[in-house]
């Protein structure tokens, strides 16, 4: 039996400089019969409405204006002629410097209460870069070419770079490069200079101060050199103290890049005519237009081909979440008092390598996954993410005990404040693994272990209440990109 159904979906990206709203129709194909649980896949999508690009409403440099944001959403819902009850899926992602505003968590809770089953989350620089690379088409492009494709998503506060190879995100790096790092008037009066840019400016002998004046020629030279610094770092030929632009040094040396794609607001403005005077540069109150036009000049000077992005300004979240509702296995290990839990990010960790179990190799993969999770997910969220164990052909008693101890040791070391650990297994082993984990964890963290779950295409999971015996309902969610 095969069913198809079009559903309405929204996406909302609240970024450093801009906020975007999009409505999509997703074609969902449901496959199943009386002998198996139904599964869903998104097989087609159509963007049916895109909002204008708003300036992200802020009360100050440190606080999002929640009232203006609410008005913006209400207006866009009305204009797009959809009601919340009509929307079956969605994603609300708070990105860039906005995710670090003092009231970002308040915004998340506000939106979650009004967003039904949507994914509502802040995105760290690493996750934001990966999302943008998926949305821009870089991930898809990496299937088509030999070597590594790097997507450089440049917004108001940061340039988030994600490297893809054969459809997998293999490395990320983030630069303090963005259109709103210097804000100015049309007369060249400097309203603001980001503290993150100051060390690089000083090292390159640019003497700028908030309240001072900058000429067109000075600003052009700054933008040219910022872009040269960033691209030189990506291509392995560092210039102009490029390392001072890094958010933090990468955990390993940069891999050779074979193709570059630019997205984000700056990527979009690269197609515009170069501004000829300060009045044109400062039309948004910042240096964005000049940063974009100089990037267009600089990037061809390096020996890496440039490809066009499939999507630029709406790359970070151009789609929304689709749910795949299932029932977990009957032998789960669950503390009902913790349920329900919504919007838990999923981090998949292979247990075996080529069908072989090696304790030390798994420990290394697990440790790497925990380090990545600390960069990707919000440690204040509890649980911060779900550990999805894949590739288990057969689990012996000894292997189960080793798995349990490794999970306990690594999770409690990297997330010592978490009160809950969620583990998802493909195979039927949740009860035994949950019991073994609890012996190690004692009272904290509490353990939830579920099995017989297909999380292959999942980005987030909801854990519902029990539906039959110990079995609980779950909902796997994926962000749907073009």
């Amino acid at each position: 039996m095969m069913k198809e159904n079009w559903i309405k979906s929204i996406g909302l990206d609240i970024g450093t400089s801009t906020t975007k709203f999009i409505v999509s129709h997703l074609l969902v194909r449901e496959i199943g019969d009386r002998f198996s649980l139904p599964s869903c896949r998104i097989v087609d999508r159509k963007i049916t409405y895109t909002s204008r690009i708003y300036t992200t409403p802020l009360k100050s440099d440190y606080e999002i204006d929640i009232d203006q944001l609410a008005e913006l959403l209400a207006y866009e819902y009305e204009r797009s002629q959809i009601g919340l009850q009509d929307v079956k899926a969605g994603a609300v992602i708070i990105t860039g410097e906005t995710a670090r505003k003092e009231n970002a968590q308040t915004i998340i809770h506000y939106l979650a209460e009004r967003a039904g089953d949507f994914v509502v989350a802040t995105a760290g620089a690493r996750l934001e870069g990966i999302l943008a690379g998926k949305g821009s088409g870089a991930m898809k492009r990496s299937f088509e070419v030999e070597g590594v494709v790097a997507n450089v998503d440049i917004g108001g506060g940061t340039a988030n770079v994600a490297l893809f190879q054969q459809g997998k995100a293999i490395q990320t790096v983030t630069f303090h490069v963005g259109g709103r790092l210097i804000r100015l008037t049309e007369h060249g009066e400097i309203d603001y200079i980001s503290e993150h840019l100051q060390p690089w400016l000083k090292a390159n002998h640019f003497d700028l101060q908030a309240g001072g004046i900058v000429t067109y020629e000075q600003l052009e030279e700054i933008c040219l050199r910022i872009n040269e610094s960033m691209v030189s770092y990506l291509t392995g030929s560092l210039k102009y103290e490029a390392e001072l632009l890094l958010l933090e040094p990468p955990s390993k040396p940069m891999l050779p890049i074979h193709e570059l794609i630019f997205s984000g607001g700056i990527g979009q403005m690269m197609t515009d005519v170069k501004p000829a005077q300060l009045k044109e540069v400062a039309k948004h109150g910042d240096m964005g237009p000049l940063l974009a036009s100089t990037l267009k000049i600089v990037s061809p000077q390096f020996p890496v081909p440039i490809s066009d992005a499939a999507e630029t300004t709406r790359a970070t979240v151009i789609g929304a979440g689709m749910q795949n509702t299932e029932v977990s296995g009957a032998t789960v290990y669950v503390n009902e008092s913790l349920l329900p839990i919504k919007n838990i990010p999923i981090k998949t960790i292979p247990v075996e390598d080529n069908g072989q179990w090696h304790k030390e190799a798994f420990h290394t993969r697990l440790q790497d996954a925990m380090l990545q999770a600390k960069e990707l997910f919000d440690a204040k969220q509890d649980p911060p993410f779900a550990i999805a164990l894949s590739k288990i052909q057969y689990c012996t008693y000894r292997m189960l005990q080793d798995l349990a101890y490794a999970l306990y040791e690594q999770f409690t070391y990297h997330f010592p404040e978490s009160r809950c650990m969620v583990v998802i297994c493909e195979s039927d082993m949740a009860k035994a693994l949950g019991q073994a984990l609890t012996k190690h964890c004692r009272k904290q963290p509490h353990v939830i272990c579920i099995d017989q779950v297909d999380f292959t295409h999942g980005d987030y999971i909801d854990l519902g209440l029990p539906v039959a015996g110990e079995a609980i309902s779950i909902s796997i969610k994926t962000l749907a990109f073009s």
Side-chain angles (χ1 to χ4, degrees), residues 270-339:
M270 286 175 72
T271 60
D272 297 343
V273 175
K274 182 183 179 183
Q277 53 187 336
L278 276 175
K279 185 176 181 180
E280 296 173 7
V281 174
K283 62 182 180 180
H284 304 301
D286 57 41
M287 65 174 182
L290 196 54
L291 188 68
S293 60
T294 53
L295 179 59
K296 186 178 179 180
I297 294 169
V298 164
S299 52
Q301 298 173 8
F302 291 84
V304 178
I306 311 297
S307 291
D308 293 334
E311 182 62 59
T312 51
T313 53
R314 295 179 177 87
T316 302
V317 176
I318 63 167
M322 173 54 210
Q323 294 81 41
N324 175 15
T325 302
E326 298 181 9
V327 178
S328 68
T331 55
V332 299
Y333 189 89
V334 174
N335 183 335
E336 290 184 27
S337 65
L338 301 174
L339 301 176

Side-chain angles (χ1 to χ4, degrees), residues 102 161 172 192 217 262 284 379 423 428 456 467:
E102 289 178 353
V161 184
T172 62
Y192 168 84
E217 290 73 22
F262 294 105
H284 304 301
V423 181
D428 187 1
T456 310
V467 292

Side-chain angles (χ1 to χ4, degrees), residues 356-375:
Q356 299 295 316
W357 160 251
H358 299 288
K359 179 180 173 181
E360 293 76 14
F362 172 73
H363 192 276
T364 300
R365 288 195 295 274
L366 179 61
Q367 187 175 42
D368 289 344
M370 291 292 168
L371 291 170
Q372 291 170 7
K374 288 182 75 170
E375 295 180 13

Side-chain angles (χ1 to χ4, degrees), residues 384-432:
F385 69 107
I387 302 165
L389 300 177
S390 67
K391 298 184 179 178
I392 309 175
Q393 292 189 7
Y394 178 71
C395 187
T396 66
Y397 176 81
R398 182 68 261 167
M399 179 180 169
L400 183 81
Q401 298 305 314
D402 290 341
L403 272 175
Y405 183 74
L407 289 167
Y408 155 74
E409 179 188 44
Q410 289 294 313
F411 186 83
T412 55
Y413 176 78
H414 289 97
F415 299 92
E417 302 301 319
S418 291
R419 296 178 297 106
C420 180
M421 174 168 46
V422 175
V423 181
I424 315 170
C425 310
E426 288 176 322
S427 53
D428 187 1
M429 58 184 287
K431 175 76 80 174

